[in-house]
Amino acid sequence: MKEIRVFSPATVANVNCGFDVLGFALDGLGDEMVIRKVPEKGIKITEITGAELPFEAKENVVGVAGLAMVEALDLDYGFEVEIHKKIRLGSGVGSSAASASGIVFGINQFLDEPLSNLELTEFGMKGEAVASGNEHADNVAPCLYGGFTLITGYEPLKIVSVPVPEELYVTIIHPHITIKTKEAREILPKEVSLKNAIKQTGNLAGLIAGLYTKDYDLIASSATDVLVEPYRKNLIPDFDFYRDTALKNGGIAFGISGSGPSMFTLSKGLQNAGAVEFALKKALKEKNIRSDSYVSPVSKHGNRILEKN
């Protein structure tokens, strides 16, 4: 094998009460990457479509994650990479994570002794830091594992795959406004109250329990964020109105996807998810805000190979 084409899914991170520790993969929406094995060591980016990004490997998420892996494994060969971005940059659905996970997943296919998803996540996090300013795994992990992933520890890194209820759908609405991940992190408080920490802990535990037991009422009551959303929602005009609209039209949980501006709604069944999409698109149009939308089941699959040559 000399060349592969890889698909890397979009993801939703935080899922309200799981800041930096919980995320899930979307189905069908994602980036593609062509990776070729070459004799020259290192990573060389040869083509980028769909976005204006640096070709210099050390300045690109793909290059940083790929180089970290190549150098750590001391490979005596390297890779040429084509990046085909289909996830809008800064949209809040894991554009940088798709790039970071895609390259490490792709390189792994060429190894005689492939690494585990846990090991790949650690390399992918190196690339994520280029975009967000810190290493976090709540987007990269679901890209690689698929489904819901829970990071139970960072030192050392520990990841648990969480089951996905069959009828759980997500509606993504992306208003055409700009929010930078680094700026969205800078507005967060450095310390939180014990009362809110306890409440958030209970919410996260309840959400995980709800996913395991397919208890949609528990999912609905638990997917609430008292630590981050109160600050970040101010970056999205009329956020509370959109949340009320989604929940009145069939949604069971609503929140900011990653650092935004995309917002996600969890629903039981495709029909409810579609009704939420229609209502939110209408609400944004009435406010003269352009938007993109997407409806998907929570994907049980992560990165995958599209072609091999």
Side-chain angles (χ1 to χ4, degrees):
M1 186 176 68
K2 295 182 179 179
E3 176 182 299
I4 59 172
R5 179 179 287 268
V6 170
F7 174 82
S8 298
T11 50
V12 170
N14 299 337
V15 199
N16 290 352
C17 50
F19 181 68
D20 274 5
V21 299
L22 186 64
F24 62 82
L26 300 178
D27 189 46
L29 178 63
D31 291 343
E32 294 183 13
M33 195 175 298
V34 177
I35 303 167
R36 300 183 190 90
K37 183 179 178 181
V38 294
E40 296 79 17
K41 292 184 178 182
I43 301 290
K44 182 179 180 181
I45 300 170
T46 60
E47 183 180 353
I48 301 174
T49 63
E52 293 186 7
L53 294 167
F55 278 80
E56 173 59 44
K58 293 182 179 180
E59 298 175 4
N60 188 296
V61 168
V62 168
V64 170
L67 284 171
M69 186 169 175
V70 167
E71 292 171 359
L73 298 176
D74 195 24
L75 300 181
D76 60 0
Y77 52 88
F79 300 92
E80 290 182 350
V81 186
E82 297 175 15
I83 304 169
H84 301 290
K85 297 295 294 181
K86 298 184 180 182
I87 305 173
R88 188 188 292 267
L89 299 183
S91 60
V93 288
S95 178
S96 58
S99 295
S101 67
I103 185 63
V104 297
F105 172 84
I107 290 173
N108 205 43
Q109 309 309 309
F110 292 91
L111 302 181
D112 293 330
E113 297 181 8
L115 303 182
S116 67
N117 281 334
L118 182 67
E119 293 170 305
L120 294 179
T121 300
E122 293 193 86
F123 287 119
M125 289 166 59
K126 304 292 184 184
E128 266 282 57
V130 176
S132 65
N134 77 316
E135 294 185 15
H136 57 99
D138 52 342
N139 285 108
V140 174
C143 276
L144 290 161
Y145 287 76
F148 273 89
T149 54
L150 176 67
I151 293 90
T152 62
Y154 273 98
E155 296 179 0
L157 184 66
K158 296 179 181 179
I159 299 171
V160 176
S161 289
V162 179
V164 179
E166 291 293 337
E167 293 184 273
L168 190 62
Y169 277 74
V170 60
T171 303
I172 300 293
I173 190 81
H174 173 217
H176 288 192
I177 61 176
T178 300
I179 297 176
K180 294 186 179 297
T181 302
K182 290 182 180 179
E183 294 175 0
R185 282 185 172 271
E186 288 171 356
I187 67 171
L188 300 180
K190 303 301 180 187
E191 297 179 352
V192 298
S193 70
L194 178 61
K195 178 182 177 181
N196 281 342
I198 293 170
K199 189 171 184 179
Q200 191 89 333
T201 302
N203 286 341
L204 179 57
L207 177 55
I208 298 302
L211 293 171
Y212 268 97
T213 59
K214 304 178 184 179
D215 186 334
Y216 286 87
D217 289 335
L218 184 55
I219 292 171
S221 63
S222 300
T224 303
D225 178 11
V226 298
L227 297 184
V228 176
E229 184 181 286
Y231 298 91
R232 284 189 171 173
K233 74 176 185 178
N234 297 318
L235 300 174
I236 303 174
D238 300 308
F239 174 84
D240 289 339
F241 171 72
Y242 299 133
R243 176 177 57 201
D244 292 344
T245 299
L247 298 180
K248 287 177 181 177
N249 285 276
I252 62 171
F254 180 87
I256 302 170
S257 179
S259 57
S262 285
M263 295 165 278
F264 75 93
T265 307
L266 294 177
S267 302
K268 183 177 182 181
L270 178 59
Q271 185 174 348
N272 285 327
V276 168
E277 179 187 35
F278 180 82
L280 288 174
K281 289 284 285 186
K282 181 181 178 182
L284 282 156
K285 186 176 181 180
E286 289 174 349
K287 294 181 179 295
N288 296 314
I289 298 176
R290 293 177 59 207
S291 65
D292 300 315
S293 61
Y294 188 76
V295 174
S296 161
V298 175
S299 178
K300 295 182 180 179
H301 307 286
N303 300 91
R304 65 179 187 269
I305 298 170
L306 299 177
E307 295 178 22
K308 284 184 181 181
N309 294 304

